[in-house]
Amino acid sequence: MDNILVIGCSGQIGSELVMALRKVYGNEHVFATDIKEPTNEIHESGPFQILDVLDFKNLLHFLVRYNITQVYNLAAVLSGNAEKIPLQAWDINMKSLMNTLEAARQSDAKKVFWPSSIAVFGPTTPRHDTPQMTVMEPNTVYGISKLAGERWGEYYNKKYDIDFRSVRYPGLISYKTEPGGGTTDYAVEIFYDAIRKGSYECFLSSKTALPMMFMEDAITNTIRLMQADGDKLSLRSSYNMAGISFDPEQLTNAIRKYMPDFEITYKPDFRQAIADSWPACIDDSVAQKDWGLKTTYDLDKMTRIMLEKIGEKLAV
Ligand code: SER
């Protein structure tokens, strides 16, 4: 039986991934950890502990003590925040990964999931249908740390046989836990402001298209990759994952189908330059072929559910 450690269970991905993993593997087999308190449902449904992934000794001790076989390490400083504290962000993003890989090598937790991002691409990368293998010259601290992390993951796979698996997440859209400090965050904030105020001031310009994905699709595919036959995985760095691509204007039009009076204004800030360096849409055919990546949410379905669920949440 697998015992699974989730590091960063209180963040945007972790809050939903823990609950999905508990359904598959059983509540008591999924150990949720973070340096922050998690949601009530995580607290109430299974084990939670405060754990700082930067503390190597404690991490290794945890893996051994609870016979952990799989680790999902979701701890990271996102793109916008990382630009404000470059050295600290580099330190946190890299050290959390290196501690995880090294603790995996020294324990039985040989299967490791770690998220990469569309931020690994840069201004010299082809912007449309970005291939799996292409020019990668990221110019953000977050992007540089993700690209370096992909290389380290592959290195630990080849050298020490760590079963490292990763996807390059697009912007993730969810109604349970808000993201923090990312460049794609506008696509979540917009729903809260639409419901609270009927209007939104967007920090990206109207035509800034980026790859995005509804959280349920992201979680399903993450677990699908982790359950895939390892022999079929041609990549041990990280897989492109495309989702749906849209710009703020297209998202506004999708919201207006349900809220015709919704107003948007544009006031691009420093995150515009980050978004401009990323692809508009990417090609994920390698992931489809290797492990059956598939998504089920389009822009309209996602918009409808976001408005409905955030509407219910704010009404309480
Ligand atoms: N959503 C992330 C960010 O905007 C990209 O991985 O930083």
Side-chain angles (χ1 to χ4, degrees):
M1 183 34 109
D2 275 309
N3 285 320
I4 298 174
L5 168 63
V6 178
I7 298 163
C9 73
S10 307
Q12 193 201 13
I13 302 172
S15 301
E16 298 196 37
L17 183 64
V18 167
M19 298 312 293
L21 289 170
R22 283 183 176 166
K23 269 198 195 126
V24 178
Y25 295 93
N27 289 352
E28 67 283 11
H29 293 289
V30 179
F31 295 78
T33 66
D34 203 304
I35 50 171
K36 287 187 301 210
E37 287 295 320
T39 58
N40 285 341
E41 62 176 0
I42 288 185
H43 248 309
E44 285 156 15
S45 59
F48 166 77
Q49 269 189 45
I50 295 283
L51 179 75
D52 184 356
V53 62
L54 300 182
D55 180 344
F56 179 75
K57 264 197 193 153
N58 256 338
L59 174 64
L60 183 59
H61 184 246
F62 195 104
L63 297 182
V64 173
R65 173 158 184 208
Y66 296 105
N67 301 315
I68 302 292
T69 53
Q70 297 188 27
V71 182
Y72 290 73
N73 172 14
L74 310 171
V77 181
L78 292 186
S79 59
N81 279 352
E83 290 308 299
K84 295 179 195 155
I85 46 162
L87 295 184
Q88 230 178 312
W90 171 260
D91 209 38
I92 294 170
N93 288 359
M94 294 316 296
K95 202 167 171 202
S96 61
L97 172 64
M98 298 316 289
N99 279 358
T100 304
L101 290 173
E102 201 39 38
R105 190 177 73 80
Q106 296 181 34
S107 72
D108 291 333
K110 297 295 182 212
K111 203 175 205 178
V112 174
F113 177 83
W114 176 81
S116 185
S117 160
I118 52 164
V120 291
F121 301 114
T124 50
T125 302
R127 286 207 76 215
H128 291 273
D129 295 323
T130 307
Q132 176 68 47
M133 300 288 180
T134 185
V135 179
M136 295 167 94
E137 296 183 316
N139 60 5
T140 62
V141 176
Y142 179 70
I144 300 170
S145 73
K146 288 295 179 187
L147 182 54
E150 287 187 9
R151 302 282 83 227
W152 274 110
E154 190 190 86
Y155 184 89
Y156 266 72
N157 172 259
K158 300 286 178 264
K159 187 136 183 163
Y160 303 119
D161 215 20
I162 296 300
D163 189 357
F164 180 81
R165 302 179 184 208
S166 173
V167 288
R168 293 170 179 156
Y169 283 127
L172 297 180
I173 299 177
S174 60
Y175 56 83
K176 282 200 178 169
T177 307
E178 287 176 67
T183 302
T184 55
D185 293 12
Y186 92 84
V188 177
E189 286 172 8
I190 196 170
F191 290 102
Y192 284 89
D193 277 14
I195 291 164
R196 279 194 197 116
K197 305 193 278 190
S199 65
Y200 179 63
E201 184 178 274
C202 186
F203 59 76
L204 297 181
S205 68
S206 61
K207 301 280 188 208
T208 310
L210 290 168
M212 302 276 183
M213 182 178 273
F214 190 58
M215 187 61 87
E216 192 181 307
D217 273 337
I219 300 290
T220 310
N221 282 296
T222 300
I223 297 175
R224 185 173 283 145
L225 169 63
M226 284 296 269
Q227 292 184 333
D229 179 353
D231 294 340
K232 300 236 162 71
L233 303 180
S234 62
L235 291 171
R236 290 309 188 134
S237 50
S238 189
Y239 283 94
N240 277 8
M241 192 156 91
I244 36 178
S245 283
F246 55 81
D247 62 32
E249 190 175 291
Q250 288 165 317
L251 180 55
T252 300
N253 291 334
I255 292 174
R256 282 188 182 144
K257 278 192 207 154
Y258 303 94
M259 301 181 67
D261 297 331
F262 173 64
E263 296 280 347
I264 185 151
T265 49
Y266 297 97
K267 198 175 170 200
D269 68 12
F270 72 101
R271 286 168 284 192
Q272 183 66 45
I274 301 178
D276 287 341
S277 76
W278 291 352
C281 57
I282 68 176
D283 171 24
D284 62 16
S285 48
V286 181
Q288 291 179 38
K289 182 171 152 283
D290 282 9
W291 49 274
L293 166 71
K294 58 173 181 290
T295 49
T296 55
Y297 282 82
D298 60 16
L299 177 57
D300 184 60
K301 189 174 168 196
M302 179 204 84
T303 303
R304 188 162 32 86
I305 302 224
M306 287 296 282
L307 288 172
E308 190 186 302
K309 295 289 185 187
I310 292 174
E312 285 168 13
K313 194 161 136 180
L314 295 182
V316 175

